[in-house]
Amino acid sequence: MIRWALAAHTTLTLAYVDEGGPQACAVLYATGGTTASSSPAPDQAPDSAPGHGPDLGSEPALYFVTATTTRHGRALAEPDARVAFTVQRDGQEWGELTGIQGRGRCRILAGAERAAGWRVYTERFPFVEQSDRLRDALERTTLWELRPDWLRLIDNGQGFGHKEEWQRPEGQPLS
């Protein structure tokens, strides 16, 4: 369910701390992992999403673009920078509220890793490849990978306050 919920959305609110204190920003993201798995369409039912059980099946990865010259880009580029984030759809009713809370680290992708992350990103957002102007602009922008080390799914549709959690095993480094 956690992987399905991540794949069912496209916008996350990323929180970080810099010299000015805590801040948050919204970014469009695409999700992938260290093993190939299919992502459900946003309108696909959770039980029909293959390979998306509560244990995640592989380490999740979220890809987003932002320039290192932005306030959040500078903060994310700091060594050992940690982030928190949320993912949810706007306009939900209390009884059906579903969303993700998470913590992790971001890193800039380059070379073959960037090419692989870019494929994940443009598969999720095909309009990027369809616009020469947008594609050219985003290709010049930094591609980031967010690797969560803790995720919590909130799913009131399964009962008010229903939670599922995933945590990277102790001592497991980022891939």
Side-chain angles (χ1 to χ4, degrees), residues 75-97:
L76 299 177
E78 288 293 317
D80 297 320
R82 304 241 334 125
V83 298
F85 63 94
T86 62
V87 174
Q88 69 283 321
R89 182 175 43 85
D90 284 345
Q92 296 183 70
E93 298 292 328
W94 276 95
E96 299 299 317
L97 182 70

PDB file of all heavy atoms in Angstrom, residues 75-97:
ATOM      1  N   ALA A  75      20.073  24.146   0.396  1.00  0.00           N
ATOM      2  CA  ALA A  75      19.963  23.408   1.661  1.00  0.00           C
ATOM      3  C   ALA A  75      20.108  21.904   1.435  1.00  0.00           C
ATOM      4  O   ALA A  75      20.778  21.219   2.213  1.00  0.00           O
ATOM      5  CB  ALA A  75      18.621  23.717   2.331  1.00  0.00           C
ATOM      6  N   LEU A  76      19.504  21.384   0.369  1.00  0.00           N
ATOM      7  CA  LEU A  76      19.574  19.947   0.095  1.00  0.00           C
ATOM      8  C   LEU A  76      20.982  19.509  -0.273  1.00  0.00           C
ATOM      9  O   LEU A  76      21.359  18.360  -0.046  1.00  0.00           O
ATOM     10  CB  LEU A  76      18.620  19.573  -1.041  1.00  0.00           C
ATOM     11  CG  LEU A  76      17.140  19.833  -0.807  1.00  0.00           C
ATOM     12  CD1 LEU A  76      16.339  19.475  -2.041  1.00  0.00           C
ATOM     13  CD2 LEU A  76      16.639  19.100   0.414  1.00  0.00           C
ATOM     14  N   ALA A  77      21.765  20.415  -0.860  1.00  0.00           N
ATOM     15  CA  ALA A  77      23.124  20.085  -1.288  1.00  0.00           C
ATOM     16  C   ALA A  77      24.119  20.039  -0.133  1.00  0.00           C
ATOM     17  O   ALA A  77      25.254  19.581  -0.311  1.00  0.00           O
ATOM     18  CB  ALA A  77      23.592  21.086  -2.348  1.00  0.00           C
ATOM     19  N   GLU A  78      23.707  20.492   1.036  1.00  0.00           N
ATOM     20  CA  GLU A  78      24.602  20.463   2.196  1.00  0.00           C
ATOM     21  C   GLU A  78      24.884  19.019   2.607  1.00  0.00           C
ATOM     22  O   GLU A  78      23.994  18.174   2.556  1.00  0.00           O
ATOM     23  CB  GLU A  78      23.968  21.205   3.386  1.00  0.00           C
ATOM     24  CG  GLU A  78      23.924  22.699   3.215  1.00  0.00           C
ATOM     25  CD  GLU A  78      25.312  23.320   3.215  1.00  0.00           C
ATOM     26  OE1 GLU A  78      26.147  22.935   4.048  1.00  0.00           O
ATOM     27  OE2 GLU A  78      25.547  24.207   2.371  1.00  0.00           O
ATOM     28  N   PRO A  79      26.117  18.728   3.025  1.00  0.00           N
ATOM     29  CA  PRO A  79      26.425  17.366   3.482  1.00  0.00           C
ATOM     30  C   PRO A  79      25.529  16.970   4.656  1.00  0.00           C
ATOM     31  O   PRO A  79      25.256  17.788   5.536  1.00  0.00           O
ATOM     32  CB  PRO A  79      27.891  17.453   3.938  1.00  0.00           C
ATOM     33  CG  PRO A  79      28.423  18.706   3.322  1.00  0.00           C
ATOM     34  CD  PRO A  79      27.258  19.624   3.106  1.00  0.00           C
ATOM     35  N   ASP A  80      25.066  15.760   4.634  1.00  0.00           N
ATOM     36  CA  ASP A  80      24.222  15.198   5.702  1.00  0.00           C
ATOM     37  C   ASP A  80      22.884  15.912   5.882  1.00  0.00           C
ATOM     38  O   ASP A  80      22.269  15.814   6.949  1.00  0.00           O
ATOM     39  CB  ASP A  80      24.974  15.168   7.040  1.00  0.00           C
ATOM     40  CG  ASP A  80      26.194  14.264   6.975  1.00  0.00           C
ATOM     41  OD1 ASP A  80      26.095  13.182   6.360  1.00  0.00           O
ATOM     42  OD2 ASP A  80      27.243  14.642   7.523  1.00  0.00           O
ATOM     43  N   ALA A  81      22.427  16.648   4.870  1.00  0.00           N
ATOM     44  CA  ALA A  81      21.122  17.315   4.973  1.00  0.00           C
ATOM     45  C   ALA A  81      20.017  16.259   5.040  1.00  0.00           C
ATOM     46  O   ALA A  81      20.039  15.272   4.313  1.00  0.00           O
ATOM     47  CB  ALA A  81      20.897  18.233   3.772  1.00  0.00           C
ATOM     48  N   ARG A  82      19.078  16.463   5.935  1.00  0.00           N
ATOM     49  CA  ARG A  82      17.928  15.565   6.086  1.00  0.00           C
ATOM     50  C   ARG A  82      16.676  16.343   5.704  1.00  0.00           C
ATOM     51  O   ARG A  82      16.625  17.556   5.853  1.00  0.00           O
ATOM     52  CB  ARG A  82      17.806  15.078   7.535  1.00  0.00           C
ATOM     53  CG  ARG A  82      19.057  14.401   8.013  1.00  0.00           C
ATOM     54  CD  ARG A  82      18.985  12.962   8.439  1.00  0.00           C
ATOM     55  NE  ARG A  82      17.730  12.474   8.909  1.00  0.00           N
ATOM     56  CZ  ARG A  82      17.133  11.392   8.378  1.00  0.00           C
ATOM     57  NH1 ARG A  82      17.656  10.762   7.369  1.00  0.00           N
ATOM     58  NH2 ARG A  82      16.011  10.958   8.872  1.00  0.00           N
ATOM     59  N   VAL A  83      15.674  15.627   5.223  1.00  0.00           N
ATOM     60  CA  VAL A  83      14.410  16.246   4.850  1.00  0.00           C
ATOM     61  C   VAL A  83      13.259  15.450   5.443  1.00  0.00           C
ATOM     62  O   VAL A  83      13.402  14.280   5.797  1.00  0.00           O
ATOM     63  CB  VAL A  83      14.230  16.322   3.310  1.00  0.00           C
ATOM     64  CG1 VAL A  83      15.311  17.179   2.672  1.00  0.00           C
ATOM     65  CG2 VAL A  83      14.198  14.934   2.678  1.00  0.00           C
ATOM     66  N   ALA A  84      12.133  16.117   5.536  1.00  0.00           N
ATOM     67  CA  ALA A  84      10.858  15.465   5.841  1.00  0.00           C
ATOM     68  C   ALA A  84       9.931  15.839   4.696  1.00  0.00           C
ATOM     69  O   ALA A  84      10.141  16.852   4.018  1.00  0.00           O
ATOM     70  CB  ALA A  84      10.304  15.956   7.178  1.00  0.00           C
ATOM     71  N   PHE A  85       8.920  15.008   4.447  1.00  0.00           N
ATOM     72  CA  PHE A  85       8.011  15.315   3.346  1.00  0.00           C
ATOM     73  C   PHE A  85       6.645  14.694   3.577  1.00  0.00           C
ATOM     74  O   PHE A  85       6.501  13.779   4.394  1.00  0.00           O
ATOM     75  CB  PHE A  85       8.595  14.846   2.002  1.00  0.00           C
ATOM     76  CG  PHE A  85       8.806  13.363   1.896  1.00  0.00           C
ATOM     77  CD1 PHE A  85       7.832  12.538   1.336  1.00  0.00           C
ATOM     78  CD2 PHE A  85       9.975  12.779   2.343  1.00  0.00           C
ATOM     79  CE1 PHE A  85       8.024  11.178   1.238  1.00  0.00           C
ATOM     80  CE2 PHE A  85      10.178  11.418   2.252  1.00  0.00           C
ATOM     81  CZ  PHE A  85       9.200  10.608   1.694  1.00  0.00           C
ATOM     82  N   THR A  86       5.674  15.236   2.881  1.00  0.00           N
ATOM     83  CA  THR A  86       4.333  14.663   2.873  1.00  0.00           C
ATOM     84  C   THR A  86       3.850  14.574   1.427  1.00  0.00           C
ATOM     85  O   THR A  86       4.275  15.353   0.577  1.00  0.00           O
ATOM     86  CB  THR A  86       3.320  15.501   3.684  1.00  0.00           C
ATOM     87  OG1 THR A  86       3.205  16.793   3.093  1.00  0.00           O
ATOM     88  CG2 THR A  86       3.722  15.623   5.139  1.00  0.00           C
ATOM     89  N   VAL A  87       2.980  13.613   1.185  1.00  0.00           N
ATOM     90  CA  VAL A  87       2.365  13.400  -0.121  1.00  0.00           C
ATOM     91  C   VAL A  87       0.889  13.147   0.134  1.00  0.00           C
ATOM     92  O   VAL A  87       0.543  12.293   0.957  1.00  0.00           O
ATOM     93  CB  VAL A  87       2.980  12.170  -0.831  1.00  0.00           C
ATOM     94  CG1 VAL A  87       2.242  11.863  -2.121  1.00  0.00           C
ATOM     95  CG2 VAL A  87       4.460  12.352  -1.072  1.00  0.00           C
ATOM     96  N   GLN A  88       0.024  13.913  -0.530  1.00  0.00           N
ATOM     97  CA  GLN A  88      -1.411  13.700  -0.396  1.00  0.00           C
ATOM     98  C   GLN A  88      -2.135  14.456  -1.493  1.00  0.00           C
ATOM     99  O   GLN A  88      -1.588  15.368  -2.091  1.00  0.00           O
ATOM    100  CB  GLN A  88      -1.938  14.147   0.972  1.00  0.00           C
ATOM    101  CG  GLN A  88      -1.920  15.652   1.206  1.00  0.00           C
ATOM    102  CD  GLN A  88      -0.548  16.195   1.524  1.00  0.00           C
ATOM    103  OE1 GLN A  88       0.224  15.563   2.237  1.00  0.00           O
ATOM    104  NE2 GLN A  88      -0.222  17.351   0.995  1.00  0.00           N
ATOM    105  N   ARG A  89      -3.346  14.040  -1.753  1.00  0.00           N
ATOM    106  CA  ARG A  89      -4.191  14.713  -2.732  1.00  0.00           C
ATOM    107  C   ARG A  89      -4.989  15.792  -2.000  1.00  0.00           C
ATOM    108  O   ARG A  89      -5.424  15.591  -0.869  1.00  0.00           O
ATOM    109  CB  ARG A  89      -5.137  13.682  -3.371  1.00  0.00           C
ATOM    110  CG  ARG A  89      -6.040  14.215  -4.441  1.00  0.00           C
ATOM    111  CD  ARG A  89      -6.857  13.095  -5.099  1.00  0.00           C
ATOM    112  NE  ARG A  89      -7.417  12.131  -4.180  1.00  0.00           N
ATOM    113  CZ  ARG A  89      -8.576  12.289  -3.534  1.00  0.00           C
ATOM    114  NH1 ARG A  89      -9.296  13.369  -3.714  1.00  0.00           N
ATOM    115  NH2 ARG A  89      -9.019  11.359  -2.721  1.00  0.00           N
ATOM    116  N   ASP A  90      -5.190  16.940  -2.629  1.00  0.00           N
ATOM    117  CA  ASP A  90      -6.012  18.002  -2.049  1.00  0.00           C
ATOM    118  C   ASP A  90      -7.480  17.609  -2.062  1.00  0.00           C
ATOM    119  O   ASP A  90      -7.915  16.793  -2.871  1.00  0.00           O
ATOM    120  CB  ASP A  90      -5.871  19.302  -2.861  1.00  0.00           C
ATOM    121  CG  ASP A  90      -4.564  20.021  -2.601  1.00  0.00           C
ATOM    122  OD1 ASP A  90      -3.899  19.693  -1.601  1.00  0.00           O
ATOM    123  OD2 ASP A  90      -4.208  20.889  -3.405  1.00  0.00           O
ATOM    124  N   GLY A  91      -8.251  18.226  -1.181  1.00  0.00           N
ATOM    125  CA  GLY A  91      -9.711  18.109  -1.198  1.00  0.00           C
ATOM    126  C   GLY A  91     -10.263  16.783  -0.722  1.00  0.00           C
ATOM    127  O   GLY A  91     -11.378  16.424  -1.087  1.00  0.00           O
ATOM    128  N   GLN A  92      -9.543  16.050   0.097  1.00  0.00           N
ATOM    129  CA  GLN A  92     -10.040  14.761   0.578  1.00  0.00           C
ATOM    130  C   GLN A  92     -11.004  14.949   1.742  1.00  0.00           C
ATOM    131  O   GLN A  92     -10.889  15.899   2.509  1.00  0.00           O
ATOM    132  CB  GLN A  92      -8.881  13.879   1.030  1.00  0.00           C
ATOM    133  CG  GLN A  92      -7.924  13.507  -0.083  1.00  0.00           C
ATOM    134  CD  GLN A  92      -6.845  12.567   0.407  1.00  0.00           C
ATOM    135  OE1 GLN A  92      -7.127  11.416   0.705  1.00  0.00           O
ATOM    136  NE2 GLN A  92      -5.626  13.069   0.513  1.00  0.00           N
ATOM    137  N   GLU A  93     -11.915  14.013   1.885  1.00  0.00           N
ATOM    138  CA  GLU A  93     -12.818  13.967   3.036  1.00  0.00           C
ATOM    139  C   GLU A  93     -12.112  13.221   4.174  1.00  0.00           C
ATOM    140  O   GLU A  93     -11.330  12.311   3.941  1.00  0.00           O
ATOM    141  CB  GLU A  93     -14.121  13.233   2.667  1.00  0.00           C
ATOM    142  CG  GLU A  93     -14.914  13.898   1.561  1.00  0.00           C
ATOM    143  CD  GLU A  93     -15.498  15.230   1.987  1.00  0.00           C
ATOM    144  OE1 GLU A  93     -15.833  15.389   3.178  1.00  0.00           O
ATOM    145  OE2 GLU A  93     -15.601  16.124   1.124  1.00  0.00           O
ATOM    146  N   TRP A  94     -12.420  13.592   5.414  1.00  0.00           N
ATOM    147  CA  TRP A  94     -11.779  12.990   6.582  1.00  0.00           C
ATOM    148  C   TRP A  94     -11.842  11.468   6.557  1.00  0.00           C
ATOM    149  O   TRP A  94     -10.858  10.801   6.832  1.00  0.00           O
ATOM    150  CB  TRP A  94     -12.438  13.488   7.875  1.00  0.00           C
ATOM    151  CG  TRP A  94     -11.883  14.786   8.335  1.00  0.00           C
ATOM    152  CD1 TRP A  94     -12.396  16.024   8.080  1.00  0.00           C
ATOM    153  CD2 TRP A  94     -10.713  15.000   9.104  1.00  0.00           C
ATOM    154  NE1 TRP A  94     -11.610  16.988   8.640  1.00  0.00           N
ATOM    155  CE2 TRP A  94     -10.559  16.380   9.289  1.00  0.00           C
ATOM    156  CE3 TRP A  94      -9.761  14.150   9.660  1.00  0.00           C
ATOM    157  CZ2 TRP A  94      -9.510  16.924  10.000  1.00  0.00           C
ATOM    158  CZ3 TRP A  94      -8.723  14.700  10.371  1.00  0.00           C
ATOM    159  CH2 TRP A  94      -8.604  16.075  10.532  1.00  0.00           C
ATOM    160  N   GLY A  95     -12.992  10.927   6.239  1.00  0.00           N
ATOM    161  CA  GLY A  95     -13.179   9.476   6.285  1.00  0.00           C
ATOM    162  C   GLY A  95     -12.395   8.719   5.232  1.00  0.00           C
ATOM    163  O   GLY A  95     -12.218   7.510   5.345  1.00  0.00           O
ATOM    164  N   GLU A  96     -11.925   9.399   4.200  1.00  0.00           N
ATOM    165  CA  GLU A  96     -11.183   8.749   3.120  1.00  0.00           C
ATOM    166  C   GLU A  96      -9.754   9.276   2.992  1.00  0.00           C
ATOM    167  O   GLU A  96      -9.055   8.918   2.044  1.00  0.00           O
ATOM    168  CB  GLU A  96     -11.912   8.955   1.785  1.00  0.00           C
ATOM    169  CG  GLU A  96     -13.314   8.369   1.752  1.00  0.00           C
ATOM    170  CD  GLU A  96     -13.310   6.852   1.971  1.00  0.00           C
ATOM    171  OE1 GLU A  96     -12.448   6.158   1.396  1.00  0.00           O
ATOM    172  OE2 GLU A  96     -14.157   6.373   2.746  1.00  0.00           O
ATOM    173  N   LEU A  97      -9.319  10.125   3.919  1.00  0.00           N
ATOM    174  CA  LEU A  97      -7.999  10.747   3.855  1.00  0.00           C
ATOM    175  C   LEU A  97      -6.901   9.695   3.720  1.00  0.00           C
ATOM    176  O   LEU A  97      -6.832   8.747   4.500  1.00  0.00           O
ATOM    177  CB  LEU A  97      -7.746  11.580   5.113  1.00  0.00           C
ATOM    178  CG  LEU A  97      -6.417  12.320   5.162  1.00  0.00           C
ATOM    179  CD1 LEU A  97      -6.418  13.449   4.139  1.00  0.00           C
ATOM    180  CD2 LEU A  97      -6.154  12.840   6.544  1.00  0.00           C
TER     181      LEU A  97
END
